[in-house]
Amino acid sequence: MDIKNVLKELGIRNSNSGTSTGSKWIKTKGQLIKSYSPVDGKLIATVQATDQKSFDKVVETSRKAFEQWRLVPAPKRGEVVRQIGEALRARKEALGMLVSYEMGKSYQEGLGEVQEMIDICDFAVGLSRQLHGLTMHSERPLHRMYEQYHPLGLVGIISAFNFPVAVWSWNAAIAWVCGDTCVWKPSEKVPLCSIACQNIINEVFKKNGVPEGVSCIINGDYRVGQWLAASEDIPLVSATGSVRMGKAVGTTVMQRLGRPLLELGGNNAIIVSEHANLDIAIRGALFGAVGTAGQRCTTTRRLIVHEKVYANVKEKLRKAYGQLRIGNPLDPKNHVGPLIDKLAVQGYLNALKAVTKQGGKMLVEGGVLKGKGYESGCYVKPAIAEVKNDFPIVQQETFAPILYLIKYRTVDEAIRYQNGVKQGLSSAMMTTNMMEMEKFLSAAGSDCGIANVNIGTSGAEIGGAFGGEKETGGGRESGSDSWKIYMRRQTNTINYGTSLPLAQGIKFDV
Ligand code: UN1
């Protein structure tokens, strides 16, 4: 399949509206977003951004749709989501390829991303029959008490460029079975992926008579995101991206006492113990550090290595990095594709400069690749530097394939380094020693939302709750009981007697 056919199959034209309430694409006066592929630097297509007027129209349509959608029985909503999963299965290759071409991750990872969408649809279908609360025993005679979950309303979804489709689906599939409607603002760096998704689900929605407004798309930069965050019609805003973005969105949402769900930056580390199986450790670190060219929020940025195995790990890493193939991510022979754009390349170069200035020592040199196949200017070499954990540059999340090596002596010291950053998304320990594993997982262990053993920091399954602590924002998306934040909770007490006893035994007789 070539990219022309992919665009055709997914209903993408040379110029597209970026604003939709479902089957309708709205003409706007918004700015023109040009989507260039980081793979070859070519213009793929253009998208017209949402303007204030069309934003208001979207919210109005979505509000009306909510009034109907919330009354559709949850398992029936689940049936629609089941069909979305089927439609995604049918378009897996095309959508995976568009993700790869527009964002730059490998085709394998593009397919993986669509698989995450399919998985969350399956999860949501089951969930649609399990949106249950608890029942409690009332302290009053002839009283019954229980809690129930109702649909919440409009859910705003802000997603980042690095997962152009999966993160939206984590939110949308759950929100839909919960009876909510969605307004999605994707990253302005990958607008075409949002259009492709809307076209795929729209076929399913049409077939099932789902009202216009249950799935809406808006496009544009941070200004459009701010409209979403500020809108009092949107009770929940789920935002995935940088800490800077999360602070802006979170503050705006909280100012109106809306509900923010934030999944922000990570500064994830793997602790490699003296008891580690080094083959697993190196493979886990390699995929974690260079997969998606270091642009996952779960990317392994730090490797905290025991002094006894430090030299060995260094040697193995140097060898492994020497075998990496960097190039067109659609070619299955390549392991590492481009960064998203030249701005990201600049960020990578600045970080490398800072590393040496702050006293780091390069183990594997970085650099920008030039020449045939690298015309987009976005291909960089994965680099490794030996550093100290408290270097300012190590404390930052640089969205690029730079791995920091840190040496440790005791497990307590390793955990202290692991936790010694502002972010708290993902973490891992490579060990076969049960005592240090349990310490790492204990209350005095990793402070992250994800803590793995003998697995890298990235590549989480959708069945678990996804997110982290501290500057990562505290939100949880995707599996487990994350659905609860997409619903409003209500406690009900029912008196089926003929008197009115008050709680806490209060007497109030007249
Ligand atoms: C992200 O980078 O924002 O755990 C999401 C992972 C993927 C999701 C990453 N399943 O690496």
Side-chain angles (χ1 to χ4, degrees):
M1 206 176 350
D2 72 356
I3 205 68
K4 266 214 178 92
N5 290 333
V6 164
L7 296 177
K8 206 165 143 204
E9 183 176 335
L10 298 172
I12 291 168
R13 306 201 188 98
N14 286 340
S15 55
N16 304 273
S17 158
T19 311
S20 164
T21 51
S23 64
K24 293 196 185 92
W25 291 94
I26 303 170
K27 272 217 172 95
T28 71
K29 294 204 172 79
Q31 77 199 99
L32 199 66
I33 308 170
K34 293 181 177 171
S35 179
Y36 290 97
S37 168
V39 174
D40 53 17
K42 287 189 185 140
L43 178 70
I44 316 173
T46 63
V47 172
Q48 198 88 40
T50 304
D51 56 11
Q52 180 80 62
K53 200 168 142 212
S54 56
F55 174 76
D56 293 344
K57 168 97 187 134
V58 162
V59 171
E60 182 54 27
T61 313
S62 201
R63 250 168 25 99
K64 283 209 184 103
F66 174 63
E67 281 170 22
Q68 293 177 49
W69 187 240
R70 65 183 173 182
L71 295 176
V72 174
K76 293 267 185 300
R77 298 191 296 250
E79 166 56 19
V80 174
V81 172
R82 187 191 68 75
Q83 292 176 37
I84 293 173
E86 291 296 302
L88 287 167
R89 280 178 175 90
R91 296 280 156 77
K92 185 172 173 182
E93 284 74 25
L95 188 57
M97 197 169 277
L98 176 64
V99 167
S100 173
Y101 188 59
E102 192 180 30
M103 184 272 161
K105 65 175 68 179
S106 75
Y107 177 50
Q108 268 308 309
E109 291 186 53
L111 292 176
E113 205 179 323
V114 183
Q115 188 58 47
E116 279 200 43
M117 304 174 82
I118 294 167
D119 293 343
I120 198 73
C121 285
D122 287 356
F123 180 91
V125 177
L127 190 63
S128 71
R129 291 182 185 266
Q130 301 177 72
L131 302 169
H132 43 57
L134 300 169
T135 61
M136 301 89 182
H137 287 272
S138 168
E139 67 189 50
R140 288 167 278 187
L142 303 181
H143 278 59
R144 185 163 76 82
M145 223 167 121
Y146 70 101
E147 65 180 5
Q148 55 178 340
Y149 287 86
H150 284 309
L152 182 65
L154 277 65
V155 173
I157 304 167
I158 298 175
S159 62
F161 78 85
N162 63 338
F163 274 77
V165 294
V167 171
W168 161 71
S169 73
W170 294 352
N171 289 279
I174 303 290
W176 287 328
V177 297
C178 289
D180 301 326
T181 59
C182 296
V183 181
W184 175 23
K185 191 202 96 61
S187 159
E188 65 274 26
K189 298 184 181 188
V190 285
L192 300 174
C193 283
S194 71
I195 291 166
C197 288
Q198 183 77 332
N199 287 338
I200 292 172
I201 59 172
N202 190 39
E203 286 171 22
V204 177
F205 277 16
K206 253 197 199 147
K207 224 173 25 199
N208 289 275
V210 173
E212 192 75 16
V214 169
S215 173
C216 304
I217 308 274
I218 54 175
N219 265 285
D221 59 17
Y222 69 95
R223 282 166 289 200
V224 178
Q226 273 297 322
W227 296 336
L228 198 72
S231 170
E232 290 187 347
D233 291 312
I234 303 181
L236 170 67
V237 177
S238 170
T240 306
S242 67
V243 170
R244 203 174 60 146
M245 176 280 296
K247 281 186 177 164
V249 169
T251 317
T252 308
V253 175
M254 279 309 289
Q255 230 151 29
R256 61 176 174 87
L257 298 180
R259 208 184 274 182
L261 193 177
L262 303 174
E263 194 264 284
L264 312 173
N267 194 346
N268 320 295
I270 299 180
I271 297 172
V272 182
S273 137
E274 60 188 305
H275 306 292
N277 170 332
L278 285 191
D279 283 341
I280 293 183
I282 299 297
R283 278 174 54 201
L286 194 64
F287 179 71
V290 310
T292 328
Q295 300 170 107
R296 288 192 190 213
C297 58
T298 51
T299 290
T300 307
R301 310 219 171 270
R302 297 174 296 142
L303 211 57
I304 304 168
V305 186
H306 192 273
E307 59 179 356
K308 276 197 194 145
V309 290
Y310 191 81
N312 200 354
V313 165
K314 247 170 76 170
E315 205 33 53
K316 283 183 190 288
L317 276 175
R318 208 202 316 256
K319 256 198 206 130
Y321 269 58
Q323 280 159 13
L324 288 175
R325 284 170 185 267
I326 308 156
N328 189 326
L330 289 163
D331 180 344
K333 283 200 297 293
N334 292 325
H335 305 101
V336 185
L339 291 180
I340 184 70
D341 55 21
K342 291 203 176 128
L343 203 68
V345 173
Q346 201 48 53
Y348 159 88
L349 290 173
N350 292 346
L352 287 181
K353 251 192 233 148
V355 168
T356 27
K357 211 167 149 206
Q358 289 167 23
K361 214 171 95 207
M362 296 311 296
L363 174 68
V364 176
E365 291 286 342
V368 182
L369 291 158
K370 297 207 169 67
K372 202 169 153 20
Y374 302 130
E375 289 84 355
S376 71
C378 298
Y379 291 85
V380 302
K381 285 193 221 160
I384 306 180
E386 298 182 78
V387 299
K388 292 262 184 300
N389 197 57
D390 57 3
F391 286 3
I393 190 65
V394 176
Q395 293 284 316
Q396 270 176 36
E397 179 190 42
T398 302
F399 236 47
I402 305 174
L403 180 64
Y404 298 124
L405 283 190
I406 298 153
K407 200 189 279 181
Y408 81 88
R409 282 171 202 87
T410 65
V411 183
D412 289 332
E413 187 188 4
I415 293 174
R416 205 167 54 242
Y417 288 152
Q418 140 65 40
N419 293 344
V421 289
K422 283 190 172 168
Q423 310 84 342
L425 179 57
S426 188
S427 60
M429 178 182 263
M430 300 289 184
T431 184
T432 53
N433 179 299
M434 178 253 205
M435 262 109 132
E436 57 184 21
M437 170 183 113
E438 291 295 337
K439 190 168 223 179
F440 173 69
L441 299 175
S442 76
S446 162
D447 64 2
C448 291
I450 298 170
N452 296 332
V453 175
N454 294 328
I455 289 185
T457 55
S458 66
E461 301 175 19
I462 59 89
F466 186 90
E469 306 302 333
K470 302 194 289 188
E471 278 199 352
T472 303
R476 292 295 185 277
E477 295 173 316
S478 157
S480 185
D481 65 352
S482 303
W483 61 271
K484 288 183 177 170
I485 199 162
Y486 297 82
M487 303 200 83
R488 65 182 171 84
R489 183 177 190 149
Q490 187 174 66
T491 303
N492 308 103
T493 309
I494 297 158
N495 176 3
Y496 59 97
T498 51
S499 62
L500 188 67
L502 298 178
Q504 295 89 44
I506 291 173
K507 296 278 172 253
F508 189 74
D509 294 324
V510 280

